[in-house]
């Protein structure tokens, strides 16, 4: 299955989500790529949108290879085998840098807008796709720590192996494509998959604010 862009994926995904009329629903997107998907879902459902900001921790020699991830208010989620191979001082500095970037994004994207409460709500956690799963696992831990009533993971594409693994972490997974043989990169499932800028994210978030 292939999507035109993240907005297309969000629009298709939104139609697969159903709730009881009295449910208190909140969409949480992972920036940057999850924001266009989350915006479309929040607009379709007419519910608020917030974010869980995560940062991937990449290997020193290959930043694209995840050896861990960190969310806003949680301890880093680390691959113990991989992080044992790297210098402890480097890892500490890398984690500190990721924490600073998370704070920078929160301040830039939301400015004076209050954060949405998660406690007791049905949460729809959204990204533009899942590959290795480290950032989404960090996000799930962050959300679960704040006592949601229910946690639904909604993604356009997720490898079958990750789908089976994450079903033990959330109440429900809604996905449009669960390939048994993953193509190796989320972008392979999109015709248009550019890297969003901070300004694009801010513009998209403003679309959901009353």
């Amino acid at each position: 299955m292939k999507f035109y862009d993240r907005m297309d994926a969000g629009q298709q995904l939104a139609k697969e989500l159903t709730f009881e009329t009295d449910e208190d629903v909140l969409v949480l997107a992972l920036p940057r790529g999850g924001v266009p998907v989350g915006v479309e879902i929040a607009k379709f459902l007419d519910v608020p949108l917030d974010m869980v900001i995560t940062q991937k921790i990449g290997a020193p020699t290959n930043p694209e290879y995840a050896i861990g991830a960190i969310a806003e208010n949680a301890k880093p989620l680390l691959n113990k085998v991989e992080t044992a191979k790297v210098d402890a001082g480097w890892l500490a500095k890398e984690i500190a840098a990721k924490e600073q970037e998370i704070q920078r994004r929160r301040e830039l994207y939301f400015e004076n807008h209050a954060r949405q409460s998660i406690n007791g709500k049905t949460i729809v956690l959204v990204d533009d796709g899942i590959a290795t799963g480290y950032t989404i696992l960090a996000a799930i831990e962050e959300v679960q720590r704040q006592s949601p009533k229910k946690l639904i993971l909604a993604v356009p594409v997720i490898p079958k192996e990750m789908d089976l693994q994450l079903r033990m972490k959330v109440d429900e997974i809604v996905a449009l494509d669960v390939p048994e043989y993953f193509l190796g990169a989320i972008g392979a499932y999109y015709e248009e998959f550019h890297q969003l800028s901070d300004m694009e994210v801010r513009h998209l978030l403003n679309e959901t604010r009353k």
Side-chain angles (χ1 to χ4, degrees):
M1 186 172 189
K2 199 154 189 174
F3 310 102
Y4 175 69
D5 59 12
R6 293 178 179 94
M7 292 176 63
D8 172 46
Q11 290 164 5
Q12 292 190 51
L13 200 53
K15 296 174 184 177
E16 301 299 317
L17 293 161
T18 57
F19 304 96
E20 300 295 331
T21 54
D22 62 342
E23 277 190 85
D24 192 357
V25 179
L26 170 65
V27 175
L28 293 177
L30 272 69
R32 297 182 178 112
V35 173
V37 184
V39 164
E40 294 303 318
I41 292 173
K43 289 196 298 187
F44 183 85
L45 299 175
D46 194 24
V47 299
L49 173 74
D50 204 322
M51 296 186 300
V52 178
I53 305 177
T54 59
Q55 284 282 288
K56 176 175 67 177
I57 301 170
T61 56
N62 183 7
E64 292 304 311
Y65 178 68
I67 61 173
I70 185 169
E72 292 182 69
N73 298 299
K75 293 181 179 179
L77 181 67
L78 302 173
N79 182 321
K80 293 181 181 180
V81 174
E82 295 293 343
T83 52
K85 302 175 185 177
V86 305
D87 178 76
W90 173 88
L91 182 59
K93 289 180 180 178
E94 188 71 4
I95 290 170
K98 299 299 184 183
E99 290 174 336
Q100 290 180 352
E101 175 61 13
I102 286 171
Q103 182 61 30
R104 183 194 73 82
R105 290 190 180 193
R106 169 60 65 176
E107 292 174 358
L108 178 64
Y109 298 158
F110 273 75
E111 300 179 301
N112 297 321
H113 293 274
R115 301 187 68 159
Q116 297 284 335
S117 172
I118 290 174
N119 184 271
K121 294 182 179 179
T122 295
I123 302 301
V124 182
L125 184 62
V126 179
D127 204 355
D128 55 9
I130 295 173
T132 61
Y134 269 103
T135 53
I136 201 69
L137 280 167
I140 288 169
E141 287 194 6
E142 170 80 5
V143 173
Q144 294 286 30
R145 190 181 58 80
Q146 298 179 62
S147 304
K149 179 181 179 182
K150 183 179 181 181
L151 177 54
I152 300 167
L153 176 60
V155 287
V157 58
I158 177 174
K160 187 174 182 179
E161 181 180 354
M162 285 304 305
D163 178 78
L164 294 172
Q165 179 182 341
L166 293 177
R167 283 188 183 278
M168 297 183 286
K169 303 282 187 180
V170 299
D171 296 295
E172 182 182 351
I173 294 179
V174 177
L176 299 171
D177 194 3
V178 187
E180 188 168 353
Y181 301 103
F182 188 63
L183 295 177
I186 296 168
Y189 292 87
Y190 289 83
E191 292 182 25
E192 197 286 316
F193 195 74
H194 74 281
Q195 294 298 315
L196 274 75
S197 69
D198 285 334
M199 292 302 102
E200 285 179 287
V201 171
R202 286 185 59 170
H203 175 75
L204 286 164
L205 290 171
N206 284 334
E207 290 185 14
T208 67
R209 292 169 179 155
K210 305 297 184 182

